[in-house]
Amino acid sequence: MLSDPISIVNNPFTAILEIETLNETQLRVSWYPVPGATGYRIWRSESAPEYGYNWAHNVGNNTEITMEVTPGKPYYFKVAPLKGSTVGKLSSTVEGIAMGTPILYEVDYDPNIFELNWSYVPGATGYRLYYREYPYGGVSSSLDIGYNHNFD
């Protein structure tokens, strides 16, 4: 009987991770399939990218998982391919922070000046204001406004 010629332990391929915020309490971790893998194991750290990882899930042959998280808190993930119970090479670390959406409270304006006030989003390190100068069409410009949650 011939054995499978692909060894995930010596395989030069590692899973390449991507992370996406779905909402303020969910992150989607996804990766590209590794040739020869029969499943994947996910590790998660709530401490730092270098340590504190716990085995979070075995996910079968899926290439994505949705994780429940605390809003504004950083999480670090790694994934490794599995072949049976053999664990392959760990991926690089990806960081994800689930963020909420600011709520616009107030817009005051006159012909030359406008003022915006919005809610604080836990974990946000800054805000970007997108605007257009004409009533139709897409965004015409954006402005990074730092950590403030108002603009005038």
Side-chain angles (χ1 to χ4, degrees), residues 37-91:
T38 58
Y40 299 89
R41 182 170 288 174
I42 309 296
W43 280 270
R44 177 171 91 175
S45 172
E46 298 178 23
S47 307
E50 303 83 21
Y51 59 86
Y53 285 88
N54 292 309
W55 173 12
H57 296 281
N58 279 356
V59 294
N61 220 9
N62 298 318
T63 56
E64 70 177 38
I65 186 170
T66 299
M67 306 288 284
E68 296 291 327
V69 297
T70 301
K73 181 177 182 177
Y75 291 86
Y76 306 94
F77 297 93
K78 294 183 180 192
V79 67
L82 299 173
K83 182 156 190 159
S85 61
T86 304
V87 180
K89 292 168 101 176
L90 276 172
S91 68

Side-chain angles (χ1 to χ4, degrees), residues 5-143:
I6 298 174
S7 167
I8 62 164
V9 174
N10 297 318
N11 194 330
F13 298 103
T14 58
I16 298 170
L17 264 72
E18 295 178 349
I19 198 153
E20 173 187 2
T21 298
L22 298 178
N23 57 50
E24 64 264 0
T25 62
Q26 293 183 320
L27 295 171
R28 176 182 294 139
V29 181
S30 60
W31 54 93
Y32 295 101
V34 173
T38 58
Y40 299 89
R41 182 170 288 174
I42 309 296
W43 280 270
R44 177 171 91 175
S45 172
E46 298 178 23
S47 307
E50 303 83 21
Y51 59 86
Y53 285 88
N54 292 309
W55 173 12
H57 296 281
N58 279 356
V59 294
N61 220 9
N62 298 318
T63 56
E64 70 177 38
I65 186 170
T66 299
M67 306 288 284
E68 296 291 327
V69 297
T70 301
K73 181 177 182 177
Y75 291 86
Y76 306 94
F77 297 93
K78 294 183 180 192
V79 67
L82 299 173
K83 182 156 190 159
S85 61
T86 304
V87 180
K89 292 168 101 176
L90 276 172
S91 68
S92 298
T93 301
V94 293
E95 177 183 3
I97 300 174
M99 304 274 254
T101 303
I103 297 168
L104 188 59
Y105 289 136
E106 181 180 18
V107 178
D108 288 328
Y109 62 92
D110 68 32
N112 298 315
I113 299 172
F114 68 94
E115 181 180 340
L116 303 172
N117 291 292
W118 57 89
S119 64
Y120 167 74
V121 175
T125 58
Y127 298 90
R128 178 171 289 159
L129 175 65
Y130 293 92
Y131 63 93
R132 64 177 177 232
E133 296 179 31
Y134 303 101
Y136 303 104
V139 170
S140 63
S141 195
S142 67
L143 178 65

